Amino acid sequence: MSAGTGTSPMKRDSRDTDEQLPGDLKMTRTLWPILLASAVGLLPFTIFSTYLVPIADGSGSSVAAMGGLRGLGGLAALLVGTALAPLIDRVPKEWAAAGGLGVLAVSAALGASGEYILLVAFCLLVGAGTAVLNPALTAAAADRFGAGKAASRAATLVTATQSMTAMLAAPLIALPAAFWGWEGDLLAVTAISLLLAAVLLSRRSRSRVEGEEEADGGEKLSYLASFKALGAVRGAVPLLLISLLRTAVFMGYLAYLAAYYDSRFQLDPGLFSLVWTLSGASFFVSNLLTGRLTNSAGPRVRTEHLLILGLVAALASVVGFYFTHWLPLALVLTSLHAASHAVVAACAVSLLVRRCGALRGSALSVNAAGMSLGVFVGASLGGAGLGLAGYPGVALVFGALMASALGAAFLVSRLSGDEHTGEDGTENPGSSGTSTTP
């Protein structure tokens, strides 16, 4: 059974091949509420992490106990993202995103109270809200531009905006907080989230693009059948595994990055902030450029091959990083590692959007849930490696995870070998949409 559209493969192939890709500025003008909402979605936990000490003091709790609440958000994101994955494609994406923004608005208002029990609710609700918000926004951006490379380019613009926000969020929230405190920051998130939710709801009636109309006209799958259909999409399962493993390595690596630079190069927090900026800037630029390269009208390299290249670079840089004792080389490897992860992230999103068709919302939701799991896996395994064998142990653990991801990438490339038509690398939607035949 297929959850695809009624459009014939020949007609869809012709449409994708002849597709005129809009420029980034035109896409940004069309997607500005979606891009802004994706940035706002990162702010609640950024505020929480930045002002963890005063938040803990105000609530009468310890920093350790308050910091542990962040894990509740990740657990909520994992459970909600997985449970609601098939439902993302059953409602208009803008409505799902507006619902996620509404949950964020409520959570931020509760968190601004500073009460411990309400901060627990804040962490749980932020995790649950972003589990719906992020995949819904990414899928909504793709839906605005159909089912071809323009759609996957639009999706990577969302991820690039999020990486830019992660890089710039600290100064963006620190300046306003100087006037109204962290509580004011959270209340501002409440107001902006509600405003953006209203904008997305109002724009929904004008966002019916061809690809979305076709998807709406297709056969609706049951809840469990949606998972089954997603698992049958060629390359979808290894792509989801790659995202989980990549996130585990990168987030685990970041968790111990400050400690590494302090113990090996004696960098104080002020100087380390420059290292963090270097890593964030490298990720943002690489993510933006990769999204443009892989979704251009005539790409010089297949997305699957670029995915493999990014994973090779990530493997080499993370292993080499923990064995270097020369600061300039460590900085180069820090930049390379962030850039290579950005390549992998952009390629994975592009391939999921192109291949999953009407199930792209479900795929992106499971992808986000897997990345939430990856955060815990990376921090836990990285800590175990560090405790047992020091930084060589960390290199071994993260190297093994990256090697596993690389193996999955070769599987993705092999499974997609017969899904490309023409010299431009355009994928055949008829062969990789949402067919349940392996």
Side-chain angles (χ1 to χ4, degrees):
M1 179 173 62
S2 173
T5 68
T7 305
S8 69
M10 182 178 297
K11 184 179 296 184
R12 293 174 68 185
D13 290 349
S14 175
R15 183 180 65 196
D16 286 348
T17 302
D18 298 334
E19 182 181 14
Q20 295 296 319
L21 297 178
D24 288 350
L25 289 179
K26 181 178 179 180
M27 282 190 168
T28 300
R29 286 194 296 268
T30 302
L31 299 174
W32 71 265
I34 292 174
L35 298 179
L36 185 56
S38 70
V40 171
L42 293 181
L43 294 181
F45 272 147
T46 303
I47 295 169
F48 181 78
S49 299
T50 303
Y51 295 98
L52 181 62
V53 174
I55 289 174
D57 291 341
S59 67
S61 176
S62 67
V63 171
M66 187 59 62
L69 296 182
R70 175 66 176 83
L72 293 177
L75 179 61
L78 172 62
L79 296 177
V80 172
T82 303
L84 298 185
L87 306 181
I88 297 292
D89 293 312
R90 293 172 177 269
V91 298
K93 308 298 192 305
E94 288 86 350
W95 292 3
L101 286 169
V103 173
L104 283 188
V106 172
S107 66
L110 293 176
S113 69
E115 297 294 330
Y116 181 82
I117 189 64
L118 295 182
L119 286 168
V120 173
F122 163 82
C123 290
L124 288 170
L125 289 175
V126 170
T130 53
V132 174
L133 177 65
N134 291 336
L137 289 172
T138 308
D143 286 349
R144 292 291 182 95
F145 293 93
K149 291 186 175 181
S152 52
R153 174 61 183 144
T156 59
L157 278 179
V158 175
T159 61
T161 300
Q162 291 173 330
S163 63
M164 180 181 67
T165 304
M167 179 179 65
L168 299 176
L172 288 177
I173 65 176
L175 182 59
F179 296 93
W180 58 33
W182 61 267
E183 300 92 342
D185 277 355
L186 287 177
L187 292 176
V189 169
T190 295
I192 296 173
S193 296
L194 291 175
L195 178 61
L196 286 172
V199 171
L200 289 176
L201 290 174
S202 68
R203 286 167 62 96
R204 162 62 193 167
S205 61
R206 295 181 279 117
S207 67
R208 304 280 299 182
V209 298
E210 180 182 359
E212 188 180 9
E213 288 172 347
E214 290 177 353
D216 289 345
E219 183 180 353
K220 300 296 185 181
L221 297 177
S222 68
Y223 181 83
L224 293 179
S226 295
F227 281 114
K228 194 173 182 180
L230 179 60
V233 175
R234 290 186 178 182
V237 172
L239 280 170
L240 294 172
L241 179 62
I242 289 169
S243 290
L244 188 158
L245 295 172
R246 180 206 70 77
T247 303
V249 171
F250 194 49
M251 299 309 293
Y253 155 86
L254 291 177
Y256 301 101
L257 190 62
Y260 170 85
Y261 271 99
D262 176 67
S263 63
R264 184 154 295 183
F265 303 110
Q266 292 75 52
L267 291 190
D268 60 32
L271 289 175
F272 176 73
S273 66
L274 299 177
V275 177
W276 194 266
T277 301
L278 171 66
S279 178
S282 299
F283 191 99
F284 165 65
V285 173
S286 180
N287 188 269
L288 182 67
L289 295 180
T290 302
R292 180 179 301 169
L293 174 64
T294 58
N295 298 298
S296 62
R300 297 182 178 180
V301 59
R302 279 177 51 183
T303 306
E304 294 87 351
H305 294 167
L306 193 59
L307 174 68
I308 292 173
L309 180 62
L311 286 167
V312 169
L315 172 59
S317 58
V318 77
V319 172
F321 176 75
Y322 289 108
F323 288 97
T324 182
H325 292 266
W326 187 37
L327 180 59
L329 180 57
L331 294 174
V332 169
L333 291 174
T334 292
S335 178
L336 175 61
H337 193 61
S340 60
H341 276 276
V343 170
V344 176
C347 289
V349 168
S350 293
L351 290 171
L352 285 172
V353 167
R354 289 184 212 162
R355 293 172 180 221
C356 293
L359 292 172
R360 63 172 52 143
S362 301
L364 292 169
S365 184
V366 174
N367 189 57
M371 289 192 293
S372 295
L373 176 60
V375 173
F376 294 100
V377 171
S380 300
L381 293 182
L386 182 63
L388 293 174
Y391 288 117
V394 179
L396 177 62
V397 168
F398 290 161
L401 293 176
M402 291 309 306
S404 300
L406 186 58
F410 281 114
L411 180 59
V412 170
S413 183
R414 184 176 67 83
L415 290 174
S416 64
D418 58 350
E419 295 178 12
H420 292 263
T421 60
E423 295 181 355
D424 63 349
T426 301
E427 293 185 42
N428 182 346
S431 66
S432 62
T434 54
S435 172
T436 59
T437 58

